[in-house]
Amino acid sequence: MRECQLFACVLLALISQSYVISVSGGPTGKGYCPENEYWNNKGFCCDKCHAGFKLKEECPKNNTRSLCVKCENGTFLETANHYDKCFSCRKCSKANSKELSPCTFRSNRECGCEIGYYFNNLSPSDWECSRCRKCGPGQLTVAECGKKQNTKCQCKENHYAVPGKNLCLPCAECQDDCPDVCKSTTPPNILGSSKPTSPPGLIHHILVPVCACITVLAVGVFLLYEGIRLWKKKSRALSSQQSTPVSDDQTLIITVAPDKELDESVPFTNQPCEPELNGKLPDCIPREIKIHEFFYFVLDEVPIGRFKELVRRLGVSEQNIDRAEQDHRNSKDAHYQMLKVWSDSGSGGGNNVLPWHRIQMFVDTLKDMYLVNCADNIESRFLSKDPSTSN
């Protein structure tokens, strides 16, 4: 038991000795002291004096306190220290100066300047109250004078600064400070000049007519293309109508202007059948398209990236679109399901049959999306088809 106590004492002594070495710096010399202490010449840490106090006597040994005294009137120390003297407070005795805050044993006196002057630091240890600048003729005040800032001035618009003088004069000729004067709106005399130039105004007068001509040409080409496309569409439809035999339950109505030959401008009806009242015959040719044939043709024509936009325009809800994508990992199967939802929401046609007016609505929607080629292909395949050959 006694041997255990002896071993414990030796262990505690070794630990305390290592702690003293680590604090005092050990054999390497000057050691580390906490922020509120300093390393003195005797080889150990002493506590610092608080702000506003100076050191009178260092701590005599480790773990003892130093003797500090308060700074005398007219002196100060702003931070914790181990100085034996305090700093003298600044005096606000300069011309046009005034005291902003008094001297205390913890802070220096703060000086400012009277109205019309600003605090100007001449060097780290010297200052003065300088008179505020006044903006001269042709100048505007950007920042007022006050505290440690002088008045800031700048020239008015279309004015330039005169070197060495506190004024700005109006621009009269082209120079660096007068860029607006350098702009000319009069075209040069090309015939009388040996070196013709092209000012910005001349370039503007050339570009505007050129751009206008290009725009008119583009619109003309577009209208020509649309006219040819519509003419071909009507020609195909007219050819299909002329080759269709008229039966007892079908009537083809063609309206021809008086004294004019039948041409591409002849209007014709190609609308879904709606029987009229009083027993009259329908005024159109009924067309029915098998759903699966139409759907697979559409899946090959419409770009995949535009398909969701198409079915949204057709009235398919976001819930049905999400359900179709969740039920089918293959995008083509999901798109087929979206088309099925659209066809089921319509009326007419019967089982697995799509009526003509639903096809026309589909084509019009594609045209609204600027997918004109897709719309033309679908229109050519299904809407211009001879009803006698439909399945």
Side-chain angles (χ1 to χ4, degrees):
M1 183 67 180
R2 185 166 183 166
E3 293 177 356
C4 292
Q5 293 178 347
L6 181 60
F7 177 78
C9 292
V10 173
L11 182 61
L12 289 173
L14 292 175
I15 293 174
S16 62
Q17 183 177 2
S18 63
Y19 174 78
V20 171
I21 292 174
S22 63
V23 172
S24 63
T28 59
K30 184 176 181 180
Y32 169 79
C33 293
E35 185 178 359
N36 61 340
E37 296 181 355
Y38 69 98
W39 185 264
N40 65 8
N41 296 328
K42 299 176 183 178
F44 52 85
C45 293
C46 274
D47 61 313
K48 294 180 180 178
C49 295
H50 295 295
F53 293 82
K54 63 181 179 179
L55 179 66
K56 186 174 182 180
E57 294 181 4
E58 288 185 338
C59 58
K61 57 182 179 180
N62 196 15
N63 296 327
T64 59
R65 299 189 63 83
S66 302
L67 178 61
C68 301
V69 294
K70 185 178 178 180
C71 292
E72 298 85 359
N73 291 336
T75 62
F76 73 99
L77 284 172
E78 293 182 329
T79 59
N81 64 91
H82 55 93
Y83 303 140
D84 58 353
K85 293 182 180 180
C86 299
F87 298 121
S88 297
C89 288
R90 180 189 297 114
K91 294 182 180 180
C92 301
S93 58
K94 302 275 187 176
N96 303 306
S97 66
K98 64 180 179 179
E99 182 180 287
L100 298 180
S101 60
C103 172
T104 67
F105 68 103
R106 285 195 180 95
S107 62
N108 194 4
R109 179 182 289 105
E110 184 179 358
C111 299
C113 298
E114 301 289 346
I115 297 176
Y117 297 84
Y118 71 97
F119 192 94
N120 186 12
N121 281 309
L122 302 177
S123 67
S125 60
D126 192 16
W127 60 277
E128 70 175 7
C129 287
S130 300
R131 184 181 295 275
C132 292
R133 173 188 176 187
K134 293 184 178 180
C135 296
Q139 294 181 337
L140 297 174
T141 301
V142 179
E144 297 290 343
C145 178
K147 294 185 178 180
K148 296 184 179 182
Q149 175 180 279
N150 195 4
T151 307
K152 292 184 179 180
C153 306
Q154 72 176 22
C155 290
K156 296 180 180 179
E157 187 177 2
N158 294 327
H159 285 65
Y160 67 95
V162 179
K165 296 183 179 180
N166 187 32
L167 59 89
C168 296
L169 297 178
C171 294
E173 58 184 14
C174 180
Q175 58 187 39
D176 292 341
D177 295 334
C178 300
D180 293 338
V181 180
C182 301
K183 296 180 181 179
S184 175
T185 57
T186 305
N189 187 0
I190 299 178
L191 297 177
S193 176
S194 59
K195 293 182 179 180
T197 59
S198 298
L202 181 61
I203 297 176
H204 176 74
H205 292 154
I206 294 175
L207 287 179
V208 171
V210 171
C211 293
C213 292
I214 294 175
T215 303
V216 172
L217 182 61
V219 172
V221 172
F222 175 76
L223 293 176
L224 180 62
Y225 166 77
E226 285 294 315
I228 295 174
R229 185 181 66 80
L230 293 175
W231 177 80
K232 289 182 177 179
K233 172 184 171 182
K234 291 182 179 180
S235 298
R236 288 195 300 265
L238 182 62
S239 176
S240 174
Q241 296 292 339
Q242 290 175 347
S243 62
T244 302
V246 180
S247 61
D248 293 338
D249 57 348
Q250 293 180 343
T251 302
L252 179 63
I253 301 175
I254 300 177
T255 304
V256 182
D259 302 331
K260 291 185 179 180
E261 295 182 354
L262 182 64
D263 56 10
E264 68 278 0
S265 65
V266 176
F268 63 95
T269 60
N270 192 12
Q271 303 295 327
C273 267
E274 295 181 5
E276 297 181 359
L277 299 177
N278 301 326
K280 293 183 180 180
L281 292 177
D283 60 351
C284 58
I285 299 175
R287 292 178 180 273
E288 294 181 345
I289 308 298
K290 290 186 177 180
I291 288 179
H292 70 275
E293 177 185 355
F294 177 76
F295 283 1
Y296 284 118
F297 187 83
V298 168
L299 292 175
D300 292 335
E301 288 293 329
V302 178
I304 295 177
R306 303 291 302 278
F307 208 89
K308 285 187 181 180
E309 178 188 353
L310 171 63
V311 295
R312 288 190 185 103
R313 286 173 177 257
L314 292 173
V316 180
S317 64
E318 291 294 332
Q319 182 179 2
N320 289 324
I321 293 175
D322 295 339
R323 183 181 295 115
E325 290 184 333
Q326 293 174 2
D327 294 343
H328 303 280
R329 299 183 63 181
N330 185 283
S331 61
K332 197 168 186 178
D333 293 338
H335 293 167
Y336 187 96
Q337 180 64 28
M338 297 174 194
L339 291 175
K340 188 69 169 60
V341 172
W342 165 73
S343 66
D344 292 343
S345 64
S347 60
N351 294 332
N352 296 323
V353 174
L354 201 61
W356 183 93
H357 71 278
R358 301 282 285 171
I359 305 292
Q360 186 61 53
M361 181 180 72
F362 195 94
V363 170
D364 293 339
T365 303
L366 288 174
K367 291 179 180 180
D368 291 340
M369 295 170 59
Y370 301 101
L371 297 176
V372 180
N373 290 334
C374 297
D376 289 346
N377 293 338
I378 294 173
E379 199 170 28
S380 175
R381 173 69 180 271
F382 297 101
L383 298 185
S384 300
K385 190 174 182 180
D386 190 342
S388 63
T389 62
S390 63
N391 294 329

